[in-house]
Amino acid sequence: MRDNLNHPLHQQEEEEEEKAVHGSLGISDSSLARYLDGQHWRLKNQLRRQTAQSQLFRQHSYDLNLDEMRDLTSERVKFVIKLPMVQRQLDEQVEKKKHCINKSLVIGEVLSTADLATGVKMGVVCWLFGGAIINLGSQVHIEKWLQPLKDLKLTGMFAMTERGHGSNVRGIQTQATYDPASQEFIIHTPCEDAEKMYIGNAMKGNDAAVFAQLIVNGELLGPHCFIVPIRDQEGNMYPGVTVIDMMHKEGLNGVDNGILVFNNIRIPKENLLDRFGSVSEDGVYQSAIKDRGARFNAMLAALTPSRIALIFQALGAMKLGLSIAIRYSHSRRQFGPKDKEEVKIIDHQTQYLRLMPHLAASLALTFTGRYAGEILDEDMCQGRNLVNNRSLQALVAGLKAYSTWENLACLQDCRECTGGMGYMMENRIPGLKCDSDVFVTFEGDNVVMLQVVVRELLAQYARQYEESPMVALLKHWSVAATDSLRTSVLAFNTETVGSLSFLLKALNYRERVLQRSLAARLYSKVMKNKEDPFSSWNSCLHHVTCLALAHIHRVTLEQFWKAVEGCPVPEDQALLKKFCLLHGTSLVYQERAWYLEHRYLTPATSVQMRNQLTDVCCSVKDDSLAVLSAFNIPDSTVHAPIAGIPCPRASWAFYPPPGQDGPRAKL
């Protein structure tokens, strides 16, 4: 009789075997690891195991030439797309099943940790090109292009950015003119500024999701998305398409970026992704959203999942960089008391002051990114129009800016804290820096993203008024004779400064004062001084960016604290609480000049904040190893010899793992 595969004994054996395999790869099964990974921890561990065991991901690309790097990345992407979990996830995304967005986000994080170029190219092919088809098209489009993508019969690209228009998508100049006689759209690049630039997968992809200005019967109807064939199955270019290789970049050289130029390319009418607007055979435009601006916003809002993915990709790079730098810091020794053994460099105050706040920020972003993903997932699952959730769009835009800037600052400190060893490509950190640098400008320049945040913050309060929202809001705030916030100075002592409630109140205070003062400034410029709105806004951009970051800082601390409160294991909760306190202390301390200017802090309490920062950083430096272990990055993914991972071709760089005795490399 055949064994019952569902028998508890059989399941137990499978779990024990899986645990043994994971253990050999450096993947733990601790309660903290599960809590940090969230409900999809099994999915993440499964993907970690599959990438760690694949020879494709064991080969490092920095010593390959450009074509070899691109070929390796393409093979990795094909390997990932063929995985059953990714096939299922694409199906679930089409069906808008619950958790489909969160699953795609954690897949993106794990892939980016394994190799950023693979994570980014996978994002281009599946989440941008595939996402455009799913979110802007119909079932017909999904069957025609997404299924072949899953079957590896084609790959796609996403062509929105132009030479003359990057962040300002509304101003793109590529044209899509409808010809009713042939029932075709004519895709054309009318000038040099209309050339599509920085297009990922440009040198290998078959089809492109091209954003172009739709023109019907001479009427300009705004940007729409079209599927434009670029190459056939054999890689031959279609007539009228020119692709220019952009060659080497600072990083992500495994991603083949290029320029697309179209010379009156004719495509079938059916190639318009028509969820928000369609054209009949005789040339009549139809859309349920009559206002052109609102229609444009709805199309862009539908692409929100691709922006939130960047938060997780940046987070993956941060976690890997921190894993390398902190492990090395616990092994490397330098300086110490006379006639005694040198101390570990993690014990140097300047070392833990640079690294520990970044580790705390990575935990805050883990929980805040998941929070944003859950909101997006619920909206997508329920079929809600994302354009109506402007607060979510603002949150995602702000988190994208904060996380990608924080990632660069983190990796720079990781590089410096590992000295000359951190400069070596074999130790991963330089590659991570170069590969993730572009995150601050693509999928929306960070400064532009912060303006999205503030426009929503200004609009939220104003919606309760019947007048023009901006005018009503500015009038209300500017005529306020007093501000209760300014007079609600807290009683300070060491205990209150050291509490999370104090830190949350401080961040909330800063956000609200910046919001009120910005509104007053804009009202004065526009209504009293009669300045034009653009110039008024432009003259306040520094204020705008400060407000946006203040808002995001407050949200990250709130979500971190909620995650601490929800942690079911007391030991894990106590550890996370210390890092939460560190995150809040760091956020307030870095703006201490502002708090002193506004008399929210006194010089004495500012000193207390500084002392608290150093004390908490010191207290968590040994706990940091438990957090790194819970990140569950496989040894072969970490790869760096200075992090205790043996590497035959760089044995000179090997440092034993923290807590293990052994020979150390000599500088």
Side-chain angles (χ1 to χ4, degrees):
M1 181 180 292
R2 191 174 62 179
D3 291 337
N4 182 0
L5 297 181
N6 294 320
H7 192 279
L9 183 59
H10 182 85
Q11 291 179 342
Q12 183 179 350
E13 291 174 350
E14 280 191 338
E15 290 175 1
E16 290 176 355
E17 181 181 348
E18 182 181 78
K19 187 178 294 187
V21 172
H22 286 174
S24 68
L25 296 172
I27 301 172
S28 77
D29 191 35
S30 68
S31 58
L32 182 59
R34 291 188 180 190
Y35 193 65
L36 294 184
D37 279 342
Q39 67 184 110
H40 303 302
W41 63 270
R42 287 187 184 276
L43 176 70
K44 294 183 80 171
N45 281 347
Q46 185 181 359
L47 184 56
R48 286 169 179 144
R49 184 184 70 217
Q50 289 172 323
T51 54
Q53 291 178 326
S54 169
Q55 288 301 316
L56 283 171
F57 285 90
R58 288 178 177 266
Q59 179 181 359
H60 288 272
S61 60
Y62 63 81
D63 53 355
L64 303 178
N65 64 38
L66 187 61
D67 288 336
E68 289 171 337
M69 280 190 278
R70 290 174 171 181
D71 289 342
L72 177 60
T73 302
S74 293
E75 289 304 310
R76 287 171 171 171
V77 169
K78 292 176 184 176
F79 169 83
V80 173
I81 291 177
K82 288 189 293 185
L83 293 175
M85 72 173 72
V86 175
Q87 293 279 312
R88 286 194 301 271
Q89 195 282 326
L90 288 170
D91 289 337
E92 290 177 5
Q93 201 167 338
V94 170
E95 297 164 9
K96 302 291 193 293
K97 283 191 174 181
K98 192 169 180 60
H99 306 308
C100 67
I101 297 298
N102 270 330
K103 287 181 181 178
S104 71
L105 294 174
V106 299
I107 288 172
E109 180 189 335
V110 173
L111 286 180
S112 294
T113 307
D115 175 55
L116 271 172
T118 302
V120 169
K121 184 153 182 169
M122 185 75 181
V124 169
V125 173
C126 291
W127 318 140
L128 284 174
F129 175 75
I133 293 168
I134 294 170
N135 298 313
L136 300 181
S138 64
Q139 187 60 37
V140 172
H141 299 118
I142 290 170
E143 292 173 1
K144 185 172 181 179
W145 282 289
L146 195 67
Q147 189 58 48
L149 186 153
K150 287 177 57 187
D151 296 338
L152 298 178
K153 294 178 180 177
L154 65 82
T155 62
M157 59 196 88
F158 186 80
M160 178 183 282
T161 300
E162 295 181 357
R163 183 186 295 271
H165 293 87
S167 298
N168 182 16
V169 180
R170 198 186 300 267
I172 60 173
Q173 295 173 279
T174 300
Q175 299 170 347
T177 305
Y178 183 64
D179 179 6
S182 63
Q183 296 183 24
E184 293 173 317
F185 290 104
I186 303 170
I187 309 297
H188 185 60
T189 303
C191 60
E192 191 176 72
D193 273 353
E195 294 174 352
K196 297 293 184 182
M197 293 193 72
Y198 312 108
I199 308 306
N201 202 32
M203 308 312 298
K204 293 180 179 292
N206 302 102
D207 297 284
V210 176
F211 282 77
Q213 297 285 355
L214 175 60
I215 302 171
V216 179
N217 296 323
E219 182 182 359
L220 187 67
L221 295 165
H224 287 65
C225 189
F226 304 80
I227 302 299
V228 179
I230 305 297
R231 295 178 182 83
D232 62 22
Q233 296 290 334
E234 284 70 45
N236 302 308
M237 300 286 297
Y238 286 111
V241 179
T242 300
V243 180
I244 302 169
D245 193 343
M246 298 184 76
M247 304 297 288
H248 289 87
K249 310 180 293 292
E250 176 190 353
L252 294 178
N253 283 302
V255 181
D256 45 316
N257 292 91
I259 301 170
L260 301 182
V261 183
F262 307 109
N263 183 13
N264 293 305
I265 305 298
R266 288 181 172 267
I267 62 172
K269 185 176 78 71
E270 293 73 25
N271 285 30
L272 165 65
L273 300 183
D274 57 2
R275 177 183 173 189
F276 296 104
S278 62
V279 179
S280 67
E281 293 181 359
D282 55 353
V284 177
Y285 181 76
Q286 298 173 319
S287 175
I289 306 174
K290 302 304 178 185
D291 181 75
R292 195 169 79 178
R295 190 166 59 240
F296 171 76
N297 290 335
M299 279 189 280
L300 286 192
L303 301 173
T304 301
S306 64
R307 183 168 290 157
I308 198 173
L310 267 182
I311 301 167
F312 286 79
Q313 291 176 321
L315 185 58
M318 279 183 70
K319 288 179 177 178
L320 181 53
L322 287 165
S323 295
I324 296 166
I326 294 174
R327 288 181 185 179
Y328 175 73
S329 298
H330 276 274
S331 295
R332 173 87 159 116
R333 293 178 180 270
Q334 193 82 170
F335 301 110
K338 186 177 181 180
D339 299 327
K340 292 185 179 180
E341 185 181 19
E342 292 181 308
V343 301
K344 293 181 291 186
I345 60 175
I346 193 64
D347 292 327
H348 292 282
Q349 188 181 70
T350 48
Q351 193 81 349
Y352 59 71
L353 276 176
R354 283 186 286 178
L355 293 175
M356 294 304 109
H358 292 307
L359 185 57
S362 73
L363 292 169
L365 284 167
T366 295
F367 296 118
T368 311
R370 186 181 304 158
Y371 162 71
E374 288 169 352
I375 298 173
L376 176 59
D377 202 284
E378 182 66 20
D379 280 0
M380 297 283 283
C381 178
Q382 298 296 328
R384 298 175 187 141
N385 195 333
L386 295 180
V387 73
N388 297 324
N389 196 341
R390 291 181 56 185
S391 61
L392 171 63
Q393 294 178 57
L395 172 63
V396 171
L399 281 175
K400 185 268 178 185
Y402 173 59
S403 63
T404 54
W405 271 330
E406 172 61 25
N407 167 63
L408 285 188
C410 171
L411 292 175
Q412 180 60 31
D413 279 332
C414 288
R415 215 299 290 156
E416 294 180 24
C417 286
T418 49
M421 286 294 189
Y423 191 64
M424 308 307 295
M425 290 296 291
E426 196 70 32
N427 286 317
R428 298 295 311 274
I429 295 173
L432 290 172
K433 281 181 57 185
C434 292
D435 285 345
S436 61
D437 194 357
V438 72
F439 288 0
V440 300
T441 51
F442 82 8
E443 284 301 308
D445 178 275
N446 280 0
V447 173
V448 177
M449 292 296 95
L450 295 183
Q451 294 178 60
V452 172
V453 177
V454 172
R455 289 186 188 279
E456 173 57 18
L457 290 178
L458 293 178
Q460 282 176 359
Y461 189 92
R463 292 193 186 109
Q464 61 186 288
Y465 294 92
E466 294 181 0
E467 306 175 62
S468 168
M470 179 61 75
V471 172
L473 174 63
L474 303 182
K475 184 185 297 183
H476 174 80
W477 278 347
S478 65
V479 298
T482 61
D483 183 350
S484 60
L485 281 171
R486 292 181 182 276
T487 61
S488 62
V489 180
L490 303 177
F492 295 113
N493 56 54
T494 304
E495 183 179 354
T496 56
V497 171
S499 71
L500 276 165
S501 61
F502 167 80
L503 298 171
L504 281 167
K505 287 177 182 177
L507 294 178
N508 186 60
Y509 171 82
R510 174 170 159 78
E511 179 185 354
R512 291 170 64 187
V513 169
L514 285 170
Q515 189 179 46
R516 178 189 183 279
S517 56
L518 174 62
R521 287 182 66 192
L522 289 171
Y523 177 76
S524 177
K525 288 173 179 290
V526 174
M527 304 304 293
K528 292 183 179 180
N529 301 338
K530 305 302 179 183
E531 297 178 23
D532 70 274
F534 175 82
S535 298
S536 300
W537 181 264
N538 189 51
S539 66
C540 294
L541 280 183
H542 179 263
H543 197 152
V544 167
T545 58
C546 289
L547 170 56
L549 287 172
H551 171 71
I552 295 301
H553 290 168
R554 191 259 304 166
V555 172
T556 61
L557 186 59
E558 282 184 351
Q559 291 306 313
F560 198 168
W561 176 234
K562 288 179 180 179
V564 170
E565 289 186 313
C567 185
V569 179
E571 294 81 3
D572 297 341
Q573 186 181 59
L575 184 149
L576 290 173
K577 186 174 182 179
K578 288 197 287 186
F579 279 98
C580 186
L581 178 63
L582 171 55
H583 182 57
T585 303
S586 178
L587 291 176
V588 174
Y589 180 73
Q590 69 189 26
E591 299 295 345
R592 62 194 179 282
W594 186 92
Y595 285 107
L596 285 166
E597 286 176 1
H598 289 75
R599 298 182 180 180
Y600 196 84
L601 290 180
T602 65
T605 52
S606 178
V607 171
Q608 291 176 19
M609 293 298 299
R610 183 180 68 232
N611 292 337
Q612 178 169 300
L613 179 67
T614 56
D615 290 345
V616 178
C617 282
C618 183
S619 72
V620 300
K621 61 183 173 60
D622 292 330
D623 296 320
S624 63
L625 292 176
V627 176
L628 300 184
S629 176
F631 283 165
N632 261 352
I633 303 175
D635 291 344
S636 63
T637 298
V638 175
H639 178 79
I642 60 170
I645 312 300
C647 177
R649 69 177 186 177
S651 57
W652 47 267
F654 177 74
Y655 276 73
Q660 294 184 18
D661 294 328
R664 297 193 298 271
K666 301 294 184 182
L667 289 181

